[in-house]
Amino acid sequence: MLDYQAPLRDMQFILDELAGLEGIGELPGCEDASADLVSAVLEEAGKFASGVLAPLNQAGDRQGCRLEGERVIVPDGWQDAYDQFRDAGWIGLSLPPAHGGQGLPKLVSTPVWEMWFSANMAFAMLPQLNVGQTEALMIAASEEQKATWLDKIVSGEWAATMNLTEPQAGSDLAATRMRAEPAGDGAYRLYGQKIYISYGEHELTPNIVHLVLARLPDAPPGIKGLSLFLAPKYLLDEHGEPGEQNDIRCISIEHKMGIHGSPTCTLSYGDTGSALGYLVGEPHQGLKTMFVMMNEARFNVGVQGVALGERAYQAALDYARERVQGRDIVTGESGRPIIVHPDVKRMLVSMRARLMAMRGLLYTAASWFDIARHHPEGEVADKHRRYVDLLMPVAKGWCTEVGNDLCDEAIQVFGGMGFVEETGVAQLFRDARVTTIFEGTTGIQANDLLGRKILREEGATLRELIADIRETATQLGSHARLGDLADALGDQASLLDKTHDWLLEHKADTANLYAGAVPLLHLLGIACGAWQMARLALAADTRFDNRQGDTEYLRGLVALARFYMATQAPQAHSHAHAVRNAGQVLTTFPEAGL
């Protein structure tokens, strides 16, 4: 079994120095997020992750889920772990106090979710859905619907799902066919199938609340005709408790490459009568509301990227310290652990540097969420909302791509033993693979970044972001020991500048631009990672000068930033080249060449 220990020191440093936890705690509605409270939350979450969830991860992978009739049976230990998770109030950590949540900032809940995903991603996918559904219902549900459903969802007494995908549609929601027909008394009859529904059926909770996209009889074609419906597994009786079973059946579960402990279901609505659902929000406005839940899910999938990368890094580091093989190439001494070999050390340092870059970006983005929601000055809130919108595709797309790379590299550190299931590291690779696919593939994220987030607004927010990166480079230049990092970060800003200008100059050339969308996403991810690593070094150097903290740890952070700039940042240039040139080749590429 692979052990897991939450990287509390790294998390706390980034929260304090990069994400600005103290400032977030001063925002209206965030005052409870004191340093002492946050530290206690992280410590308790770390204990639960390592003591309860992590020990179930490998066993859950091996046992998996099974379908017995229409019942889905989850792995042994899931029920007890979920009961503990629910009773401890973890689901409501950042959710509204009015419905039983604790109302803490997203910045506080983000490292906690990282721990859950590191410890046991398959398990953590269940409560994650409650968070996203709560966000969607808070925006669009009627007051009566909120009163009926939200307390149970926030507490985790009832589970939640998101139903978008259909067999014929895949990621193309415009092709959605599920029908919704008025049934009277404000209810609707739903007919159709949804696929790839995480935790679409199980018996961990006495009810499951599905949010479902469907079409009303008068719906216009395409995505503008989608409405959102709430359909429970069990209809509520006169006391508001689960009563008669709704006509929603699980007809199959997927046999997947990874996340075996999470049942991925095909749900059929209205096969034997009618599945009753209730309209959430206005007719034909369902996708707008569902995107709230999807955005929450996409951010959390980005967190899954860093979480699985962290678990893989810890496993690789432990193995490299224990595995004895070969001679020390410097001293010639035999019987040394493989961590002394330069290439093994290179892989480990590279993994840690990228982890810190991703964590810095995601935690900083979490603070932007909080500022956008709580800051009293509209202009400040708007800027941070735009930063969230711009970089959401990067947070999801780049962090999951890098997370996959880290799990792959961990196998390389293990060598042949990484290819053996018993060591556990192969499971991390298998689990991570889906993160670049669900909630929108990397290509879909890249298209969103290019089209909706950059070209639609003529690159205005990207230009602001570049200016902030340049400001950090200027601050680095004032530190005598960090001049090389200032130059490296300035190079990244210049590269983004040139790419920004090129995109706007060629915005009419759609085929060429979109052929370079994924390289653009990687370019922006690497550059934002460099920005966060530069900020990390700046904070560590300042603490070092002020004699605050462990000097060896602080020196290590600066060294990590230098390693990132030396090995990862230069890759941005190749991606920038691909942005400008890939389309010229692809648009004329002959069919016979495939």
Side-chain angles (χ1 to χ4, degrees), residues 403-427:
N404 270 259
D405 290 344
L406 298 186
C407 292
D408 179 58
E409 200 135 49
I411 292 175
Q412 199 71 13
V413 172
F414 272 76
M417 292 305 294
F419 200 64
V420 175
E421 286 288 351
E422 283 77 5
T423 61
V425 72
Q427 179 195 345

Side-chain angles (χ1 to χ4, degrees), residues 456-478:
R456 180 177 289 182
E457 61 165 29
E458 299 287 323
T461 302
L462 178 57
R463 179 67 73 185
E464 286 183 81
L465 183 75
I466 295 169
D468 282 352
I469 293 173
R470 286 197 182 281
E471 174 61 27
T472 300
T474 300
Q475 293 172 9
L476 283 166
S478 66

Side-chain angles (χ1 to χ4, degrees), residues 33-93:
S34 66
D36 288 344
L37 176 67
V38 173
S39 179
V41 167
L42 295 182
E43 185 174 348
E44 288 305 311
K47 291 177 183 177
F48 193 89
S50 60
V52 178
L53 298 185
L56 295 173
N57 192 43
Q58 199 167 0
D61 176 67
R62 290 173 177 167
Q63 185 179 1
C65 302
R66 66 185 188 275
L67 183 64
E68 295 184 355
E70 295 178 8
R71 297 178 61 215
V72 171
I73 310 301
V74 297
D76 296 339
W78 250 233
Q79 184 70 66
D80 180 59
Y82 184 79
D83 291 347
Q84 291 185 58
F85 194 92
R86 180 202 60 224
D87 293 346
W90 287 116
I91 294 174
L93 192 65

Side-chain angles (χ1 to χ4, degrees), residues 4-41:
Y4 169 72
Q5 296 297 323
L8 294 178
R9 181 160 66 167
D10 290 343
M11 289 175 163
Q12 194 71 61
F13 189 92
I14 291 174
L15 286 172
D16 292 341
E17 298 294 345
L18 271 63
L21 177 61
E22 183 177 358
I24 296 299
E26 295 172 354
L27 293 174
C30 298
E31 296 90 350
D32 288 342
S34 66
D36 288 344
L37 176 67
V38 173
S39 179
V41 167

Side-chain angles (χ1 to χ4, degrees), residues 402-456:
V402 175
N404 270 259
D405 290 344
L406 298 186
C407 292
D408 179 58
E409 200 135 49
I411 292 175
Q412 199 71 13
V413 172
F414 272 76
M417 292 305 294
F419 200 64
V420 175
E421 286 288 351
E422 283 77 5
T423 61
V425 72
Q427 179 195 345
L428 301 177
F429 181 80
R430 290 186 287 101
D431 287 353
R433 189 61 190 86
V434 74
T435 62
T436 63
I437 299 171
F438 63 9
E439 309 306 340
T441 65
T442 304
I444 290 172
Q445 303 302 319
N447 289 348
D448 181 46
L449 171 66
L450 174 60
R452 293 189 183 94
K453 307 302 171 61
I454 295 179
L455 296 181
R456 180 177 289 182

Side-chain angles (χ1 to χ4, degrees), residues 197-251:
I197 310 305
S198 297
Y199 282 95
E201 172 58 32
H202 56 83
E203 296 176 349
L204 293 168
T205 59
N207 210 352
I208 302 172
V209 183
H210 305 287
L211 281 188
V212 188
L213 285 178
R215 293 187 183 280
L216 291 166
D218 62 345
I223 60 174
K224 294 182 179 179
L226 297 177
S227 298
L228 185 64
F229 299 87
L230 185 155
K233 176 180 177 180
Y234 292 100
L235 301 172
L236 303 188
D237 62 20
E238 65 273 18
H239 304 295
E241 297 298 326
E244 178 187 354
Q245 184 164 355
N246 209 353
D247 188 15
I248 305 170
R249 298 187 304 123
C250 177
I251 59 175

